[in-house]
């Protein structure tokens, strides 16, 4: 046995400890082994059959591509109904799926296909799927055609439809009522509806249900169709040996069916968010209401449990977005000016001694009530108790390579073997630039707003020192690059005219960012030499390096995988899914430049698969299945 085999054997013994964790049954279900995968929102991919946007059956093609590239995980962004705001983390339901993702052709019989063929042709002509951005007008157009299809199909007495209504009884009727009420109130927030409907007066709801039974049934019918199409995707992925990792946001929109139906489960005088950090100077105010967990506990956590049970129909694993919010969540009073972001908030619970038990209790409820393996987005300001509890449950967190450093000491990038075994190693998330954008515009820089604010706090005029510290020719997109003369902390402090004790925040900023490219070169074992310009070969080198990490899973954004192909041309700054803290048509609209059919045929796929075999992340289990269509 060579050294590599010995190392793998030792690692595998450590990974087997997951089988003794509090999520042992979930690990046993999926198999305890190192895996690789891809992360993408459905709206960013498309097939030749898609109309206007990626559709559920397109995920079958993505599963096929994963298998050809040696990957066994597909991580999706939230799939929930976003209404007409199109923000996946601000959905109108924690249960209902987004109707835009329906494949119309998969709903129709042969006779209906012929009847609606002109409608489909027109829709596809007006809304071709593909780059550069999603045209979200597709939703209203699709809903109009789906209504026509619904009226032709007989649903009354359909046993399959009635069975779906039964398994979805906790949420479906409330959701359908909410959607019809929103439509008839001009999409206004439920808090502005007439009091009887706003407060779910039983007589008013009963009367409304009688008067609008067809529209309510239409909303339920669409969810049934989504349920059936997504179930087929999951079955196809299973036959390919590919697991689906769903994203279940911790929070839900204030203007949602969940909040309207369960108003006592939320603290409606507060908004959730995040405190200021190194990357977002004012913190964040998301707007969603925090939960009243005591009230939910009084109902035996029914809301939390039912969400998981429904999601099990579609996912093998689920990502708890903002898992630290389960231990404590940053809350901002609604009376606080919106422009202050998350500056003037506080944690809930306020008492830090309660955080660990609070989080452990909620995670235990999840672990005891689902077959899906929980995964955790544990980024931002993370309390130590979070790491402890995740390890106890065997729940993978996230180790982001560009952030995974020896902070405050050497500030060097941690070696791959030092990554947490219960983690998913990622190069980029949907809230970041792709890796090429980070390399070109962010490495070795500081955020201008953050530097300005920290400078003001210690009596430093930003305008007075900006010219002496930063190179304007190399500073872009609000990121400031140090001048070559500022090559050590003493040089910085001389310009600032401060001691380290007086300007320690700014000194820390300098030390954590200066020489970052050279430190990344050491991470790649390039003796501190890393490419000035980003290339596909450089991307491959990085992908292979993180694939060797100790993390049980390695899941990368689709655009980072495609960046290993020289044919993939893109703007490394703007080719991203979301710019946090901004309202822009660049958010949640990104579409890949290639169809899934072309991605499946990409010459890079074989090289990626070979890399995963070489790094122990793919074993062809030969599932003994017939060739799939």
């Amino acid at each position: 046995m060579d050294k590599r085999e010995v190392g793998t054997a030792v690692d595998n013994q450590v990974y087997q400890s997951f089988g003794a964790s509090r999520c042992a049954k979930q690990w046993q279900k999926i198999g305890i082994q190192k895996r690789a995968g891809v992360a993408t929102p459905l709206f960013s991919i498309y097939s030749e059959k898609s109309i206007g946007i990626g559709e559920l059956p397109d995920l079958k093609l993505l599963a096929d591509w994963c298998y050809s590239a040696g990957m066994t995980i597909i991580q999706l962004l939230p799939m929930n109904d976003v209404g007409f705001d199109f923000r996946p983390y601000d959905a109108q339901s924690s249960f209902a799926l987004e109707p835009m993702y329906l494949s119309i052709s998969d709903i129709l019989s042969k006779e209906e296909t012929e009847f609606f063929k002109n409608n489909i042709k027109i829709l596809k002509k007006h809304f071709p799927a593909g780059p550069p951005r999603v045209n979200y007008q597709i939703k209203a157009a699709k809903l109009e055609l789906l209504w026509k299809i619904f009226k032709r199909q007989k649903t009354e007495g359909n046993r399959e439809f009635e069975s779906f209504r039964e398994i979805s009884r906790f949420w479906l009727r409330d959701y359908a009522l909410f959607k019809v009420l929103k439509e008839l109130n001009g999409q206004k927030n439920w808090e502005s509806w007439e009091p009887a409907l706003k407060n779910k007066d039983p007589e008013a709801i009963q009367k409304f249900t009688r008067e609008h039974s067809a529209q309510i049934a239409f909303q339920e019918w669409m969810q049934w169709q989504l349920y059936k199409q997504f179930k087929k995707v999951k079955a196809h992925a299973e036959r390919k040996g590919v697991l689906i990792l769903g994203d279940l946001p911790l929070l839900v929109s204030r203007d949602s069916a969940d909040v309207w139906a369960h108003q006592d489960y939320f603290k409606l005088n507060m908004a959730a968010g995040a405190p200021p950090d190194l990357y977002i100077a004012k913190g964040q105010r998301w707007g969603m209401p925090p939960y009243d967990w005591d009230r939910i506990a009084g109902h035996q956590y029914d809301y939390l449990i039912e969400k998981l049970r429904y999601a099990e129909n579609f996912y093998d694993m689920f990502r708890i977005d903002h898992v630290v919010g389960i231990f404590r969540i940053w809350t901002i009073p609604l009376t606080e000016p919106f422009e202050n972001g998350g500056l003037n908030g506080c944690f809930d619970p306020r008492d830090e001694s309660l955080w660990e038990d609070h989080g452990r209790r909620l995670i235990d409820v999840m672990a005891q009530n689902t077959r899906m393996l929980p995964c955790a987005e544990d980024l931002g300001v993370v309390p130590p108790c979070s790491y402890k509890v995740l390890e106890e449950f065997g729940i993978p967190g996230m180790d982001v390579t560009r952030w995974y450093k020896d902070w405050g000491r050497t500030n060097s990038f941690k070696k791959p073997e030092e990554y947490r075994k219960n983690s998913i190693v990622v190069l980029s998330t949907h809230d970041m630039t792709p890796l090429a954008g980070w390399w070109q515009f962010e490495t070795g820089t500081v955020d201008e707003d953050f530097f300005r604010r920290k400078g003001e706090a210690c009596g430093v005029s930003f305008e007075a020192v900006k010219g002496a510290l930063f190179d304007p020719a190399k500073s872009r997109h609000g990121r400031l690059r140090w001048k070559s003369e500022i090559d050590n902390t003493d040089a910085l402090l001389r310009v600032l005219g401060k001691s380290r004790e007086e300007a320690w925040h700014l000194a820390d900023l300098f030390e954590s960012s200066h020489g970052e490219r050279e430190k990344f070169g050491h991470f790649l074992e390039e003796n501190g030499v890393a490419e000035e310009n980003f290339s596909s070969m450089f991307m491959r080198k990085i992908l292979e390096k993180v694939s060797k990490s100790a993390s049980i899973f390695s899941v990368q954004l689709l655009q980072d995988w495609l960046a290993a192909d020289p044919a993939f041309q893109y703007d490394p700054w703007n080719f991203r899914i979301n710019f946090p803290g901004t309202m822009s048509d660049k958010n949640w609209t990104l579409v890949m430049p290639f169809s899934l059919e072309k991605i499946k045929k990409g010459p890079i796929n074989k090289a990626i698969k070979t890399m995963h075999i070489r790094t122990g992340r793919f074993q062809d289990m030969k599932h003994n299945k017939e060739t799939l269509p």
Side-chain angles (χ1 to χ4, degrees):
M1 184 179 291
D2 64 26
K3 290 182 179 179
R4 180 180 175 278
E5 290 173 323
V6 170
T8 301
V10 171
D11 280 347
N12 285 339
Q13 291 173 9
V14 176
Y15 296 129
Q16 294 310 310
S17 66
F18 295 150
S21 70
R22 296 179 72 172
C23 284
K25 65 179 181 180
Q26 289 91 341
W27 278 109
Q28 290 161 4
K29 181 175 182 292
I30 68 167
I32 304 172
Q33 64 185 70
K34 296 182 80 172
R35 296 176 180 272
V38 63
T40 185
L42 180 51
F43 60 73
S44 288
I45 57 176
Y46 66 99
S47 72
E48 293 169 2
K49 293 182 179 179
S50 304
I51 300 177
I53 196 169
E55 298 176 335
L56 280 167
D58 296 339
L59 293 174
K60 296 177 185 178
L61 297 179
L62 187 62
D64 295 345
W65 174 71
C66 281
Y67 183 77
S68 71
M71 301 189 211
T72 53
I73 297 174
I74 291 173
Q75 178 184 328
L76 298 171
L77 260 63
M79 298 286 286
N80 304 97
D81 182 0
V82 293
F84 290 95
D85 289 330
F86 310 112
R87 296 190 298 269
Y89 291 92
D90 195 23
Q92 289 190 350
S93 171
S94 289
F95 299 83
L97 299 172
E98 174 49 62
M100 280 186 299
Y101 297 142
L102 274 173
S103 167
I104 289 174
S105 61
D106 280 24
I107 292 173
L108 302 176
S109 65
K110 288 183 179 179
E111 178 188 351
E112 290 167 336
T113 300
E114 182 63 25
F115 184 85
F116 288 109
K117 70 178 182 180
N118 286 334
N119 301 76
I120 295 171
K121 185 178 179 181
I122 291 169
L123 194 62
K124 195 159 187 175
K125 180 181 178 181
H126 288 170
F127 297 97
R133 298 281 172 178
V134 177
N135 178 356
Y136 279 118
Q137 291 181 15
I138 181 61
K139 181 165 184 175
K142 232 178 188 181
L143 289 175
E144 185 178 343
L145 179 52
L146 285 166
W147 171 251
K148 293 175 182 177
I149 294 169
F150 165 74
K151 289 195 294 184
R152 276 187 64 89
Q153 292 195 351
K154 294 180 180 178
T155 55
E156 186 132 2
N158 184 305
R159 289 184 181 180
E160 192 182 351
F161 187 28
E162 292 307 318
S163 175
F164 171 72
R165 281 173 156 165
E166 176 60 24
I167 67 171
S168 309
R169 64 186 181 278
F170 180 83
W171 64 272
L172 184 61
R173 179 48 61 100
D174 282 333
Y175 164 78
L177 279 164
F178 176 83
K179 293 296 289 186
V180 177
L181 281 162
K182 282 278 288 182
E183 184 177 351
L184 296 178
N185 280 278
Q187 299 299 328
K188 290 180 181 177
N189 189 298
W190 65 266
E191 292 172 283
S192 68
W193 297 349
E194 64 176 86
L197 294 172
K198 169 186 171 181
N199 298 315
K200 291 190 71 184
D201 176 76
E203 287 187 16
I205 293 296
Q206 191 174 38
K207 179 175 182 290
F208 184 86
T209 301
R210 286 196 307 268
E211 293 172 351
H212 302 282
S213 58
Q215 295 100 313
I216 293 167
F218 172 57
Q219 295 293 334
E220 295 175 327
W221 173 83
M222 284 193 293
Q223 289 304 313
W224 176 45
Q225 298 297 335
L226 286 156
Y227 169 85
K228 292 195 293 182
Q229 290 189 10
F230 211 163
K231 289 274 282 186
K232 288 179 181 177
V233 168
K234 187 171 186 290
H236 181 94
E238 283 176 358
R239 293 195 295 270
K240 286 289 187 180
V242 175
L243 305 172
I244 301 179
L245 169 55
D247 194 332
L248 303 188
L250 174 64
L251 301 166
V252 67
S253 174
R254 187 181 184 92
D255 187 22
S256 66
D258 299 39
V259 178
W260 173 67
H262 304 283
Q263 294 172 37
D264 58 327
Y265 284 10
F266 298 86
K267 296 182 178 179
L268 294 177
N269 62 329
M270 307 294 285
D277 62 24
L278 185 63
Y279 291 87
I280 303 177
K282 288 187 176 181
Q284 299 178 63
R285 175 172 170 170
W286 303 322
M288 294 84 85
Y291 294 109
D292 190 327
W293 287 115
D294 289 339
R295 291 284 185 92
I296 295 173
H299 290 264
Q300 291 73 51
Y301 296 101
D302 57 351
Y303 173 70
L304 180 58
I305 292 168
E306 291 291 341
K307 272 198 289 190
L308 295 172
R309 288 180 178 168
Y310 189 64
E312 275 183 357
N313 289 295
F314 318 119
Y315 307 124
D316 303 283
M317 304 183 286
F318 69 101
R319 174 183 181 268
I320 309 169
D321 178 62
H322 195 60
V323 73
V324 294
I326 286 178
F327 296 89
R328 83 294 182 271
I329 193 161
W330 191 252
T331 60
I332 305 113
L334 292 187
T335 53
E336 184 69 20
F338 191 81
E339 58 270 19
N340 285 352
L343 282 177
N344 299 315
C346 65
F347 283 119
D348 180 14
R350 283 178 178 263
D351 185 351
E352 186 173 349
S353 67
L354 301 176
W355 293 355
E356 183 175 330
D357 286 343
H358 187 265
R360 181 181 285 107
R361 182 173 64 253
L362 294 177
I363 289 175
D364 190 55
V365 170
M366 296 182 194
Q368 294 298 322
N369 288 281
T370 183
R371 298 186 303 273
M372 299 181 292
L373 175 70
C375 299
E377 186 265 302
D378 56 343
L379 304 178
V381 180
V382 182
C385 61
S386 173
Y387 296 117
K388 177 183 175 182
V389 174
L390 293 185
E391 186 169 358
E392 178 183 322
F393 280 82
I395 294 174
M398 290 179 67
D399 286 347
V400 182
T401 298
R402 67 182 76 174
W403 292 345
Y404 207 52
K405 296 181 175 184
D406 182 26
W407 292 104
R409 287 177 292 196
T410 65
N411 292 302
S412 59
F413 292 89
K414 290 192 177 182
K415 296 176 181 178
E417 58 269 25
E418 295 176 336
Y419 282 44
R420 291 178 293 171
K421 289 182 171 61
N422 66 314
S423 73
I424 305 172
V425 58
V426 298
L427 293 169
S428 316
T429 75
H430 61 267
D431 282 334
M432 298 176 182
T433 51
L435 198 74
W438 169 73
W439 184 254
Q440 293 186 34
F441 304 114
E442 297 180 33
T443 50
T445 70
V446 294
D447 180 83
E448 181 173 343
D449 288 340
F450 193 77
F451 186 92
R452 184 189 298 269
R453 190 160 63 84
K454 290 300 180 183
E456 288 173 355
C458 63
V460 172
S461 166
F462 176 73
E463 296 303 328
V465 301
K466 179 180 179 181
L469 294 178
F470 303 110
D471 186 341
K474 295 182 179 179
S475 300
R476 296 181 61 190
H477 305 300
R479 305 292 306 188
L480 302 172
R481 192 173 297 281
W482 302 101
K483 280 190 168 182
S484 57
E485 299 92 318
I486 309 301
D487 56 1
N488 59 61
T489 307
D490 288 340
L492 168 73
L493 295 173
R494 280 196 297 272
V495 172
L496 298 177
K498 300 285 183 180
S499 67
R500 184 182 180 92
E501 290 71 25
E502 293 171 318
W504 67 270
H505 275 302
L506 301 182
D508 281 355
L509 275 175
F510 172 80
E511 291 165 358
S512 64
S513 60
H514 187 262
E516 193 169 27
R517 285 189 175 179
E518 290 74 16
K519 290 170 184 172
F520 196 71
H522 283 296
F523 167 79
L524 295 175
E525 297 177 351
E526 297 292 322
N527 298 317
V529 179
E531 296 187 18
E532 183 72 20
N533 297 314
F534 204 84
S535 68
S536 59
M537 290 305 297
F538 188 46
M539 187 75 226
R540 290 192 199 189
K541 189 181 296 183
I542 297 167
L543 287 165
E544 177 141 5
K545 192 67 177 181
V546 297
S547 191
K548 293 176 180 177
S549 73
S551 304
I552 185 76
F553 302 141
S554 170
V555 179
Q556 312 309 331
L557 285 180
L558 179 55
Q559 49 265 54
D560 279 345
W561 285 119
L562 295 180
D565 186 342
F568 182 56
Q569 301 296 315
Y570 61 108
D571 177 342
W573 180 261
N574 289 308
F575 200 82
R576 61 189 289 179
I577 297 166
N578 182 46
F579 289 80
T582 69
M583 299 291 287
S584 167
D585 58 7
K586 292 180 181 178
N587 291 342
W588 317 117
T589 59
L590 182 71
V591 181
M592 296 298 131
F594 308 133
S595 69
L596 285 164
E597 288 85 354
K598 288 186 178 179
I599 291 173
K600 276 181 64 178
K601 295 176 182 177
I604 190 65
N605 300 342
K606 185 177 180 180
I608 293 174
K609 183 173 184 177
T610 300
M611 179 188 76
H612 288 139
I613 294 171
R614 188 164 55 243
T615 57
R617 292 198 179 271
F618 180 74
Q619 301 84 38
D620 191 343
M621 303 304 291
K622 300 188 184 299
H623 302 285
N624 298 317
K625 300 293 182 181
E626 296 179 1
T627 301
L628 298 174

